[in-house]
Amino acid sequence: MGRENQSHLSEFLLLGLPIQPEQQGVFFALFLGMYLTTVLGNLFILLVIRLDPRLHTPMFFFLSHLAFTDITFSSVTTPKMLMNMQTQSQSISYAGCISQVYFFLMLGCLDSFLLTSMAYDRYVAICHPLRYITVMSQSLCLLLVIVSWILSSGSAILHTLLLARLSFCGDNLLPHFFCDLATLLKLSTSDTTVNELFILTVGVVVITLPFACILVSYGCIGATILRVPSTKGLYKALSTCGSHLSVVALYYGTISGLYFFPSSNYSNNNDVIVAVLYTLITPMLNPFIYSLRNKDMKGALGNILSRGTFS
């Protein structure tokens, strides 16, 4: 099967994580716990935002979409990885592999755009507080989310179409725990120049430009904060940005390690480990960051728990 033509190729074999067989059970339990924490933690954020009317603001509107995206993003790769670890079945169908590439890229891009929208929201709130309600209207927030979905879906579709035209006539062994685009390109026997150029182009649009916008937004926020005369005003401004900055650092830190500083062709273990950070640990930590560092979220949680106690 490893030598079949693309037209007859029915599956790839995922080699999974670089874990010794005797350690499979321990890591299975660890990753299962992390995945359940990711799902339940982000569902908790969605529930709190839904139940507390004071959180029906643009910032938490974007946060609810980010929480939903983190649940689905982690679910694209983790259940299949856990199933392979438990059953020792490493196969994934060709159609399933292509679908996994699409959803992984689409949701990863969507994360980037949502974080940029949240940075813009903080910029308007701190630098132009008197115009905040007018600028960050419900229609603008909805437009930003819709545009984020369209751009993310469009870039993922183009990546997937370019991938689908490639031939895989060599081995069908993928040294990864999911169908990673870069790993698939290394496996292809076709010319991948167009794919690589498109990766660079789209990387600028969906990663570099949003990150630059976030840096500019926080540069303006920093300049505004330095002009705040009172310590109380400074603390309030920082408290509203701390959670978002932590998530931005976590997201772009791991994605930079994964795609801008890849390991050599002969050693893929580092890429696989960083991919675990990006696909599982980052979505898991986001609920803790927003719950523990955000005063509004902690206040909403306290109100919900007190209402439940009194009822």
Side-chain angles (χ1 to χ4, degrees), residues 20-214:
Q20 296 299 322
E22 60 272 14
Q23 299 175 327
Q24 289 279 350
V26 175
F27 279 95
F28 173 81
L30 175 64
F31 291 139
L32 177 61
M34 292 169 65
Y35 175 64
L36 292 176
T37 303
T38 299
V39 174
L40 295 176
N42 283 286
L43 284 176
F44 168 76
I45 284 184
L46 289 171
L47 180 64
V48 172
I49 294 175
R50 175 67 178 173
L51 293 179
D52 196 318
R54 293 178 301 176
L55 298 184
H56 296 174
T57 63
M59 180 65 176
F60 290 100
F61 173 75
F62 294 128
L63 177 57
S64 64
H65 283 271
L66 183 66
F68 173 77
T69 303
D70 283 340
I71 293 173
T72 52
F73 181 66
S74 185
S75 299
V76 169
T77 57
T78 308
K80 178 61 178 175
M81 177 189 71
L82 293 172
M83 185 179 71
N84 289 355
M85 293 177 67
Q86 186 69 9
T87 64
Q88 302 299 317
S89 173
Q90 300 173 312
S91 64
I92 182 172
S93 67
Y94 177 81
C97 190
I98 296 297
S99 299
Q100 194 177 63
V101 168
Y102 168 76
F103 286 108
F104 180 84
L105 294 175
M106 188 266 287
L107 294 167
C109 293
L110 184 58
D111 256 352
S112 180
F113 288 126
L114 289 174
L115 290 173
T116 307
S117 299
M118 295 169 76
Y120 178 70
D121 172 81
R122 293 299 84 201
Y123 161 75
V124 177
I126 295 175
C127 299
H128 305 283
L130 298 180
R131 299 172 52 197
Y132 179 74
I133 296 178
T134 304
V135 174
M136 297 304 297
S137 61
Q138 185 177 0
S139 58
L140 177 62
C141 295
L142 187 59
L143 178 63
L144 288 174
V145 170
I146 292 174
V147 170
S148 298
W149 276 94
I150 291 174
L151 292 177
S152 302
S153 299
S155 64
I157 286 174
L158 291 175
H159 271 302
T160 307
L161 292 176
L162 288 173
L163 176 65
R165 71 180 181 86
L166 300 179
S167 298
F168 296 91
C169 301
D171 291 333
N172 61 347
L173 300 177
L174 284 176
H176 220 298
F177 65 91
F178 71 98
C179 290
D180 176 60
L181 178 60
T183 307
L184 285 168
L185 293 183
K186 294 177 184 177
L187 199 65
S188 173
T189 55
S190 302
D191 183 10
T192 59
T193 303
V194 175
N195 301 73
E196 292 166 359
L197 288 175
F198 190 70
I199 288 175
L200 291 175
T201 304
V202 173
V204 170
V205 175
V206 303
I207 297 176
T208 308
L209 284 181
F211 185 56
C213 292
I214 292 174

Side-chain angles (χ1 to χ4, degrees), residues 266-307:
Y266 302 100
S267 177
N268 198 61
N269 288 352
N270 291 339
D271 287 348
V272 174
I273 294 171
V274 175
V276 172
L277 295 175
Y278 178 55
T279 59
L280 190 57
I281 295 180
T282 299
M284 180 191 70
L285 291 179
N286 286 354
F288 292 100
I289 291 173
Y290 279 105
S291 299
L292 299 177
R293 292 183 58 90
N294 190 281
K295 184 173 65 175
D296 295 329
M297 282 293 295
K298 288 190 288 187
L301 175 60
N303 291 335
I304 292 173
L305 292 178
S306 63
R307 290 206 303 264

